Amino acid sequence: MEYYSLNKTAPNTDFRNATINGLAPDKGLYFPAFIPKIETSFFQNIESISNEEIAFKVIAPYVGESIPENELRKIVYESINFPIPLVGIDEHIFSLELFHGPTLAFKDVGARFMSRCLSYFVKDRVGKVVVLVATSGDTGGAVANGFLGVENVEVVILYPSGKVSELQEKQLTALGNNIHALEVKGSFDDCQDMVKKAFVDDRLKNEIFLTSANSINVARWLPQQFYYFLAYKQWKDKKNPPVICVPSGNFGNICAGMLANISGLPVKHFIAACNANDVVTQYLASGNYIPAKTKHTISNAMDVGDPSNFIRILALYKNDFGSLANNISSYSISDDETKEAIKEVYENNNYLLDTHGAVAYKALKNYLSSHPDEKGIFWKQPIP
Ligand SMILES: *Cc1c(COP(=O)(O)O)cnc(C)c1O
């Protein structure tokens, strides 16, 4: 597979170089040159295919020649070696539980996959690779855990002071070894800006080999497709594919789902659930994309004012607003609505939501209220 830069002024490259470098030399995000199609029979038989085999099938074309098959199988198996159950909340709403991984984050799959790929790519390298990552919450924990002890890799994590939970801060700061966490006075966007600046700083680039582990990195972004395939595997009503509602911040996860859909995965409709940070909700309503300052909310991992993967979503739909808007809706859910949703689901269904899952639940509920014949899945995270 070749990757091109969405800024279109850098040479194409392979999975290996895209992973090692993170961003293209022209500062664009890498994007696959074509989207592999998966045959219909695969989806008809999916219930009889193991999770490992599904994940391997999905990712292999994107990795191409960069990793030999037996090595890639090992990496894939280790990335999804925990349960990802689909649980019914009521007749219409299902929860995909993404908190059974080692750091309880829905970033575990991407982070584990990327760390193992990078470790494979740099094992014979002279000198270290420094992974620089900004986190609004649990990216950092998942990345730190994925990279802990990996040879030839040092990890530097920037996190906004006072804006991550106590547990998350411990996950970042308590590991030591090759994991270095820096507390930044500012928001997640400030952290992300510092990361972006570091990548274009020539002096820094001459001194150290920097790469990123945010979802701008293809090795973190692409394996998030696994969730959508594993959700579909567990979906009983195959004749009536699910609406999928994803709590969105940087839009890497939902963008991976939309990619999976274009590959052939049956999905009725996507919903981007947002908190008060609603640039994409506004964009879908008006056609204008206006980046905003980050607003601090109780679903902090989604506090992103200018989502980096939005440009990939546009690329998936070839900048055709009409077909994009046909496939995705978005709702902005306030903190009060989030709290009400937690209370409602706990009282009615005896199921405890986290704030991010609650935003997604509420957005799905809003959509289903005007589409009563459809059923949907929302992405559920841990209680931090
Ligand atoms: C990262 C994260 C999100 C947002 O995911 P994106 O891929 O950045 O859109 C939502 N909820 C939780 C709990 C997260 O960790």
Side-chain angles (χ1 to χ4, degrees), residues 298-300 302 338 342 353-360 381-384:
I298 55 172
S299 45
N300 66 303
M302 297 154 64
T338 307
I342 294 176
L353 295 177
D354 67 294
T355 51
H356 308 84
V359 169
Q381 280 97 214
I383 314 295

Side-chain angles (χ1 to χ4, degrees), residues 33 54 60 76 79 90 183 205 211 240 248 268 285 289 338:
I54 292 171
V76 165
S79 307
D90 62 31
E183 183 177 5
K205 262 198 293 198
T211 192
N240 187 19
S248 295
K268 182 146 286 161
Y289 183 81
T338 307

